[in-house]
Amino acid sequence: MKGEGHTALFSNSDGIIAIEGPVKLQIMELLKESSRSFDEIVKYTGKAKSTISVHLSDLKQHNLLEERIDPNDRRKKTYVMCSQYAACSQKPVVEHYHETLKRFTNTFDTEIDILTTFFHAVQSGFEAQGINHRPIMETIGQDIGIRLAENFNSTYLEGLFEEVADYWDMHKLGNLSVLSYDPLAINIDDCFVCKGAPDIGQNLCSFSEGLLQGIIYSKLNMQCNIVEIECHGNGYDHCLFVMQ
């Protein structure tokens, strides 16, 4: 979300709200992690209190954050995001999109191949229009992962990922293996999200990050941050995810 000339999209009960301006984006970036006090926001942004008050008031008017009384000190207020970070602007990335479109001139060997290519085209189409869709794709992945977890029985990490690996293989989502459990490191070969993507200098599998997070949360009741560090989109021949 950071940077001059950036636009970020947030979703709330009113729909999609576009936010511009580095200070507002700094505030929302901070609140994305947890609730913060007024003084913490001032310190983080490095701006005057009067400036932060104006920006907080504007963000409240758009129903992007809420003001609450600090339970530890009723004289103080804390601020909490009541919206969801959906997407942001970026420099258009067209290479992935054009490479994906070329595949439709050929005959597909299997149904999973054509469905995967449709998925690639939709994702890369947003990027070609200058929209970074990764936040909302991760959220959708989390929601699906929570439902997907109903297919699994294990409630401990090792057993769960044995089932997940079998599921990925059965449905041709990729060859999933766990390289390490402490810390958790997951390798996926032939990943359905990014297999065949060109090296565009970006990781592409925010949807898979969300899937894995949703499965772990549902079965182990554990909030976690799964981050992709290696991807076809960054020149690798596999995807590597680690828990941070």
Side-chain angles (χ1 to χ4, degrees):
M1 282 195 293
K2 296 178 181 178
E4 296 285 346
H6 223 41
T7 299
L9 302 180
F10 294 85
S11 174
N12 62 14
S13 57
D14 298 322
I16 290 290
I17 306 293
I19 292 296
E20 295 180 328
V23 178
K24 285 187 176 67
L25 294 178
Q26 275 187 296
I27 293 171
M28 297 302 287
E29 179 78 26
L30 181 64
L31 297 183
K32 183 161 65 90
E33 302 300 328
S34 67
S35 62
R36 301 286 180 168
S37 69
F38 180 81
D39 288 341
E40 286 176 315
I41 296 171
V42 170
K43 182 177 179 180
Y44 180 76
T45 60
K47 301 298 180 181
K49 291 184 177 181
S50 57
T51 299
I52 296 304
S53 293
V54 171
H55 286 302
L56 288 173
S57 177
D58 192 30
L59 291 169
K60 282 192 297 179
Q61 281 189 329
H62 286 91
N63 295 321
L64 295 172
L65 56 79
E66 293 178 349
E67 185 180 273
R68 298 178 181 174
I69 301 297
D70 188 332
N72 299 317
D73 187 344
R74 298 188 62 82
R75 296 170 299 176
K76 297 182 179 180
K77 298 175 182 178
T78 60
Y79 296 87
V80 182
M81 268 185 68
C82 57
S83 54
Q84 182 174 290
Y85 179 29
C88 66
S89 61
Q90 66 173 25
K91 183 179 179 180
V93 179
V94 299
E95 182 180 356
H96 186 194
Y97 186 49
H98 290 163
E99 289 295 323
T100 302
L101 292 178
K102 289 178 184 177
R103 297 183 211 165
F104 289 103
T105 63
N106 302 316
T107 301
F108 294 93
D109 295 329
T110 65
E111 289 184 359
I112 189 67
D113 287 339
I114 191 169
L115 290 175
T116 299
T117 306
F118 277 129
F119 182 82
H120 290 177
V122 171
Q123 283 207 127
S124 58
F126 279 105
E127 294 169 352
Q129 298 298 321
I131 299 171
N132 182 334
H133 56 78
R134 289 173 181 77
I136 198 166
M137 290 301 295
E138 182 178 343
T139 299
I140 293 170
Q142 288 172 351
D143 292 339
I144 294 174
I146 289 170
R147 294 297 184 180
L148 200 63
E150 296 177 12
N151 294 281
F152 311 128
N153 298 312
S154 297
T155 54
Y156 65 97
L157 196 60
E158 291 84 351
L160 175 60
F161 272 93
E162 288 179 6
E163 293 187 70
V164 172
D166 288 341
Y167 190 93
W168 251 241
D169 181 60
M170 180 189 307
H171 295 285
K172 303 188 187 308
L173 303 178
N175 300 315
L176 185 150
S177 60
V178 177
L179 305 182
S180 166
Y181 283 103
D182 187 18
L184 182 62
I186 301 163
N187 185 83
I188 302 180
D189 293 317
D190 295 329
C191 174
F192 79 102
V193 175
C194 69
K195 179 184 177 183
D199 181 358
I200 59 173
Q202 293 184 12
N203 293 330
L204 302 172
C205 299
S206 57
F207 181 74
S208 293
E209 290 174 341
L211 278 177
L212 297 170
Q213 289 168 175
I215 291 169
I216 292 171
Y217 173 75
S218 178
K219 301 308 293 185
L220 307 180
N221 194 30
M222 181 171 67
Q223 293 276 11
C224 64
N225 186 27
I226 301 292
V227 177
E228 184 182 35
I229 60 173
E230 296 176 2
C231 180
H232 282 271
N234 252 328
Y236 293 90
D237 62 356
H238 60 271
C239 297
L240 179 61
F241 301 86
V242 297
M243 182 185 291
Q244 295 184 348

